[in-house]
Structure formats: structure tokens, C-alpha cells
């Protein structure tokens, strides 16, 4: 007989189905399953939605962007090996993503089965262990958002492994012009930011899931403004003077488009696609107004009493 939901307390406790019959006491569901409305553990058979894939893409981009930032930061103009290190970082993250997908259920396929994310509490089931008699706690902590929580942690682990296998050999061979300590600083930086990313996912994964589109938009706008200001780009002529500046600009435009798509989710193509026309807006606004906000001009006008 099917047990009534009232006999199984809590949001995430359930009973396991074995040989088409419900067996065992109410408790935690096995990995890859979650309790339904009848408090029966059901296998996750759905596929991630577009928003879920965009979230996984955002979490996958974080180590890659940090790799590129620190490679550029520590290479500077001293070495011509930065490009090769950028390519190696891209290869490491791509290989880690492919291996992670292949090892996840279903094994051997570049696809995953998942449970639907219904609410923020799905990410923090450890906070919802019920106490029916206020004495004994029923532990029902599980991955209700399978596999969106653990797949990111597995991906970070593979990124770290591939980096330690490939990057030191590459840097030692081609990082000419850098000192023995400077050439490995981008690797040392990764050894710091990977634990930070892991803790960020473990603690704030649910918050990031709902906030990442806005984080992308804000950070891309701020970093683009800082870069153009630091590079003293005040006109279209300054912008196209170096190919590197165009690469940075187009990279930020891609991030802008990614954030807009993540927010709109492309539910209504007719209304959402025109929003992509706003992507060049911040850069154009900066170029058109930079001449009016130049610090030297403001100081000179202030000194003249204007």
C-alpha cells in the first residue's frame, strides 16, 4: 500500500520503490532521485532546460576567465607565450567539461538527466531535515537539483587535474622572458581561486543559479568601462588601433548577449531577440561621452573658473 504523505515529514524525505513496491522507512532518496508530491522517491529522468545549461555554462566560464586574466596579468609585455597559455587554458577547461559530461549519468553521452529546480530550498536540503518528535532528526539531505550541484564541483576537479598535467610543462618550455618565479605565477593563482570557486559553489550555488544573469551583466559592464578607461580609449580610432582591444570588446559583447539571453530565457523569440540589439549600447555610450568626462579637461575648466 502507498503510504500517505502525512506519514513522511519534511520537504525532501521519501520512500524507495523496489520491484514496483514501496519499501523501507521514510528517509533520504538515493542520488539521482527525489521525493515527489506523494513522498515517493522517483528517478530524475528529465533534461536540463535552457536556463540550466546557461547556468552550467556560466560556472564553466569562471575558471577559464580567471585563467586568462592571471595569464595576461603576469605575462604582460615580458613574454610572447601568453597566447599559447590562453589556448592551453581553453583546452584544459574544454577537456574537463567533456570528460565531466561523459562520466555523468548517462555515462558515455554528452547529455545529462536532471531533476527540475523548483525553488531555492532545493539547493539547501541540509537545512530542511525534519524533527517529527522534536527529539530525533530525520536526515534527508540529498541533491534535489541533481546533478547541477555536484557536476560543477566535478568539473572544477578535472580542470585542476588537467592544469597540473599540462600547464607546467608548457610554461617551462615556452615562457621565455619571464623569471623562474614569474613564469609559474598564473598556476599559483589557479591554486588559490579553484578552492574559492569550490566553496562558492558549495555555499552559494543556489543563489548563483538565480542571480548569475545579473552578475554577468554588471561585471561585464564594469570591467569594460575599467578596461577602456585604463587603456585611454576615447574614440573609435583609439579602439581599432590595436587588435587586442577589439578582441576584448567583442568578448564583452558576447558576455552581454549571454546575460541578456539568460534573463529573457528566449521564452518569446519575437520579443526577446530584439533585446540583443542593446549589446553594443554601453560601449557606444562610453565612446560618445568619454570626451566630456576626461579628468584633465574637468580640472582645466575648474582652474579657469568655468
Amino acid at each position: 500500500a502507498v503510504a500517505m504523505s502525512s506519514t513522511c515529514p519534511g520537504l525532501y524525505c521519501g520512500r524507495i520503490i523496489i520491484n514496483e513496491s514501496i519499501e523501507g522507512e521514510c528517509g533520504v532518496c538515493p542520488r539521482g532521485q527525489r521525493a515527489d508530491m506523494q513522498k515517493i522517491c522517483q528517478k530524475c529522468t528529465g533534461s536540463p532546460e535552457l536556463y540550466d545549461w546557461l547556468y552550467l555554462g556560466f560556472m564553466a566560464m569562471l575558471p577559464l576567465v580567471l585563467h586568462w586574466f592571471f595569464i595576461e596579468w603576469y605575462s604582460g609585455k615580458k613574454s610572447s607565450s601568453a597566447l599559447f597559455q590562453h589556448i592551453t587554458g581553453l583546452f584544459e577547461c574544454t577537456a574537463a567539461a567533456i570528460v565531466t559530461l561523459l562520466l555523468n549519468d548517462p555515462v558515455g553521452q554528452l547529455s545529462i538527466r536532471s531533476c527540475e529546480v523548483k525553488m531555492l530550498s532545493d539547493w539547501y536540503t541540509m537545512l530542511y531535515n525534519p524533527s517529527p518528535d522534536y527529539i530525533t532528526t530525520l536526515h534527508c539531505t540529498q541533491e534535489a537539483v541533481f546533478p547541477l550541484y555536484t557536476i560543477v564541483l566535478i568539473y572544477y576537479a578535472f580542470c585542476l587535474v588537467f592544469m597540473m598535467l599540462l600547464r607546467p610543462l608548457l610554461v617551462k618550455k615556452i615562457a621565455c622572458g619571464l623569471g623562474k618565479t614569474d613564469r609559474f605565477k598564473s598556476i599559483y593563482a589557479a591554486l588559490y581561486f579553484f578552492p574559492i570557486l569550490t566553496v562558492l559553489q558549495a555555499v552559494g550555488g543556489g543563489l548563483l543559479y538565480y542571480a548569475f544573469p545579473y552578475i554577468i551583466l554588471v561585471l561585464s559592464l564594469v570591467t569594460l568601462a575599467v578596461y577602456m578607461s585604463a587603456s585611454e580609449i576615447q574614440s573609435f580610432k583609439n579602439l581599432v588601433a590595436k587588435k587586442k582591444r577589439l578582441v576584448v570588446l567583442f568578448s564583452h559583447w558576447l558576455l552581454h548577449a549571454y546575460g541578456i539571453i539568460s534573463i529573457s530565457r528566449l521564452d518569446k523569440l519575437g520579443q526577446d531577440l530584439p533585446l540583443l540589439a542593446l549589446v553594443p549600447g554601453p560601449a557606444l555610450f562610453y565612446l560618445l561621452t568619454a570626451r566630456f568626462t576626461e579628468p584633465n579637461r574637468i580640472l582645466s575648466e575648474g582652474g579657469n573658473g568655468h
Side-chain angles (χ1 to χ4, degrees), residues 40-267:
I40 307 301
C41 295
Q42 300 289 350
K43 185 177 181 179
C44 302
T45 57
S47 299
E49 299 178 353
L50 174 62
Y51 187 84
D52 298 332
W53 283 114
L54 291 172
Y55 165 74
L56 293 178
F58 168 73
M59 300 305 294
M61 284 191 298
L62 287 179
L64 178 60
V65 172
L66 290 173
H67 275 317
W68 284 350
F69 173 80
F70 285 110
I71 289 171
E72 195 68 27
W73 180 271
Y74 289 117
S75 295
K77 299 180 180 179
K78 300 178 182 179
S79 174
S80 60
S81 66
L83 176 61
F84 296 99
Q85 294 187 62
H86 287 318
I87 296 174
T88 304
L90 177 61
F91 174 78
E92 294 165 4
C93 294
T94 303
I98 293 175
V99 172
T100 302
L101 289 176
L102 291 176
L103 293 180
N104 202 73
D105 193 15
V107 179
Q109 299 182 25
L110 292 176
S111 61
I112 57 177
R113 63 178 183 87
S114 65
C115 294
E116 180 184 1
V117 181
K118 299 179 180 179
M119 60 187 77
L120 179 61
S121 61
D122 290 346
W123 292 84
Y124 304 102
T125 56
M126 74 289 294
L127 303 178
Y128 294 89
N129 291 325
S131 300
D133 53 3
Y134 298 100
I135 298 177
T136 303
T137 300
L138 194 60
H139 295 281
C140 296
T141 301
Q142 58 187 278
E143 189 180 8
V145 294
F146 174 86
L148 300 182
Y149 190 88
T150 54
I151 195 173
V152 176
L153 302 177
I154 296 172
Y155 165 74
Y156 288 162
F158 278 115
C159 282
L160 184 60
V161 170
F162 283 122
M163 184 197 70
M164 296 305 298
L165 291 176
L166 301 176
R167 191 82 64 81
L169 297 177
L170 176 74
V171 171
K172 188 175 181 180
K173 291 290 184 181
I174 67 174
C176 303
L178 292 175
K180 291 184 178 180
T181 56
D182 293 339
R183 66 177 60 183
F184 293 107
K185 282 186 176 181
S186 63
I187 300 177
Y188 297 151
L191 296 180
Y192 280 99
F193 70 67
F194 267 119
I196 295 174
L197 290 178
T198 301
V199 173
L200 186 66
Q201 167 66 7
V203 177
L207 300 176
L208 289 174
Y209 178 80
Y210 290 101
F212 82 89
Y214 309 97
I215 295 175
I216 291 177
L217 286 180
V218 172
L219 288 182
S220 60
L221 289 174
V222 172
T223 54
L224 179 60
V226 171
Y227 175 79
M228 297 181 75
S229 176
S231 301
E232 298 183 355
I233 301 174
Q234 298 183 358
S235 64
F236 292 98
K237 184 179 180 180
N238 298 137
L239 181 62
V240 299
K242 297 181 179 180
K243 294 181 179 180
K244 180 180 178 180
R245 294 178 178 179
L246 291 177
V247 172
V248 173
L249 177 64
F250 288 130
S251 300
H252 279 83
W253 281 1
L254 289 176
L255 288 176
H256 293 167
Y258 196 95
I260 292 174
I261 292 174
S262 300
I263 292 176
S264 64
R265 306 192 186 190
L266 297 181
D267 293 331

